[in-house]
Amino acid sequence: MRIATWNINSIRTRVDRVLAFLERSEVDVLALQETKCRDDQFPTAPFEEAGYHLAVHGLNQWNGVAVISKYPILEVQIGFPGQPEFREVVEARALGVTVDSPAGPLTVWSLYIPNGRELDDPHYTYKLDWLAQLKSAATGWLTTDPNALIALVGDWNVAPEDVDVWDMGFFEGKTHVSPPERAAFAAIGEVGFTEVTRPLVTNYTYWDYQRLRFPKNEGMRIDFVYASPALAKRVSAAEIDRNERKGKGASDHVPVIVDWD
């Protein structure tokens, strides 16, 4: 079984790339972030014609999350319990989809954690609150069912370690690397989830479009996969598909893939 996460930075712009990736990679469940469209604008037909099941959640041209699955979808959850608002709106940043996988019901959360913008911006406080509420929800899921198969995947907008950015000096005083953000990211692991890609693969997952960041390999590692205890023990391999950042029309993020027994 293969699960992947990918900040696609507009699904309507890159639908052909996603379809080609699915065919080439043989991924079973793909979580997307930054789909950047309303539900009625999502290009569902090409995926359904290819035999996939879909769940999508988008409110406007910002944010947006989706899950594309080879397995039948059993349940869809829009947002998690306690998900914070920003300017009185619960943004389209979290979608939980339970699929009928060979291992049993598997819940994949496609998560697009807020950027934070600047350390003194209200969006930064929102980001920390968002992660704190996600931790609370994740605690509840494991308390309810310690053996649940749950994957929390997506663009976390946090570089947890210094090696996850190309130059710590460049990021001094900026978001993504601040101690509170790193602590909030690590807190998901403190409640029983395990970030499963770190021991298996090393690479960046994001390169800005500006200043030739990708050719210079000046990137960030901000896309991760947290797994519940019952799921984490099934991990067999992981991959960061750097080639997806190449060519015309690439997203600024690349897919992160995890194999499970």
Side-chain angles (χ1 to χ4, degrees):
M1 181 171 61
R2 308 195 91 190
I3 299 174
T5 179
W6 191 3
N7 179 321
I8 197 59
N9 193 16
S10 177
I11 183 60
R12 289 178 291 176
T13 302
R14 300 182 171 86
V15 58
D16 290 340
R17 290 190 75 123
V18 175
L19 285 165
F21 167 75
L22 286 168
E23 181 177 358
R24 181 181 69 255
S25 66
E26 298 183 333
V27 161
D28 299 298
V29 182
L30 172 62
L32 296 175
Q33 301 86 42
E34 273 204 282
T35 54
K36 292 185 174 180
C37 63
R38 301 189 310 268
D39 292 356
D40 63 301
Q41 296 173 317
F42 196 99
T44 58
F47 297 102
E48 292 175 341
E49 291 168 2
Y52 291 97
H53 306 269
L54 290 92
V56 302
H57 176 40
L59 301 177
N60 47 42
Q61 73 272 30
W62 309 111
N63 311 313
V65 281
V67 174
I68 302 170
S69 172
K70 286 184 180 179
Y71 308 126
I73 292 175
L74 303 174
E75 182 182 357
V76 177
Q77 302 172 69
I78 304 296
F80 55 82
Q83 183 177 330
E85 297 179 348
F86 186 69
R87 294 177 179 169
E88 300 183 347
V89 174
V90 178
E91 298 179 310
R93 292 181 175 273
L95 178 67
V97 178
T98 302
V99 301
D100 188 15
S101 81
L106 165 69
T107 301
V108 176
W109 278 92
S110 182
L111 303 171
Y112 180 42
I113 283 72
N115 178 282
R117 300 176 182 169
E118 303 289 342
L119 297 182
D120 59 354
D121 193 290
H123 209 259
Y124 179 77
T125 303
Y126 166 55
K127 178 180 189 175
L128 296 179
D129 187 26
W130 206 96
L131 286 165
Q133 293 302 320
L134 176 61
K135 173 190 173 183
S136 178
T139 301
W141 297 329
L142 290 186
T143 300
T144 300
D145 184 0
N147 296 314
L149 302 178
I150 305 173
L152 310 178
V153 311
D155 176 1
W156 293 78
N157 269 317
V158 178
E161 300 183 9
D162 290 357
V163 296
D164 296 331
V165 296
W166 59 275
D167 182 358
M168 275 298 295
F170 176 83
F171 285 92
E172 184 177 356
K174 295 182 173 64
T175 61
H176 293 63
V177 301
S178 70
E181 290 168 284
R182 288 179 167 181
F185 178 87
I188 305 299
E190 295 168 2
V191 303
F193 283 80
T194 301
E195 201 297 300
V196 297
T197 69
R198 175 78 65 185
L200 299 172
V201 64
T202 300
N203 209 334
Y204 299 136
T205 63
Y206 163 85
W207 296 261
D208 197 312
Y209 289 125
Q210 306 298 319
R211 302 180 183 178
L212 299 175
R213 294 295 190 209
F214 182 63
K216 296 177 182 178
N217 199 32
E218 296 177 348
M220 304 174 69
R221 185 174 186 174
I222 55 177
D223 302 84
F224 295 96
V225 175
Y226 264 112
S228 63
L231 188 59
K233 67 183 182 182
R234 298 172 181 258
V235 174
S236 58
E239 174 187 353
I240 295 173
D241 189 353
R242 191 179 187 276
N243 287 331
E244 273 297 341
R245 185 61 174 79
K246 300 176 181 178
K248 184 178 180 180
S251 171
D252 45 5
H253 291 250
V254 297
V256 178
I257 306 167
V258 178
D259 292 331
W260 319 78
D261 291 332

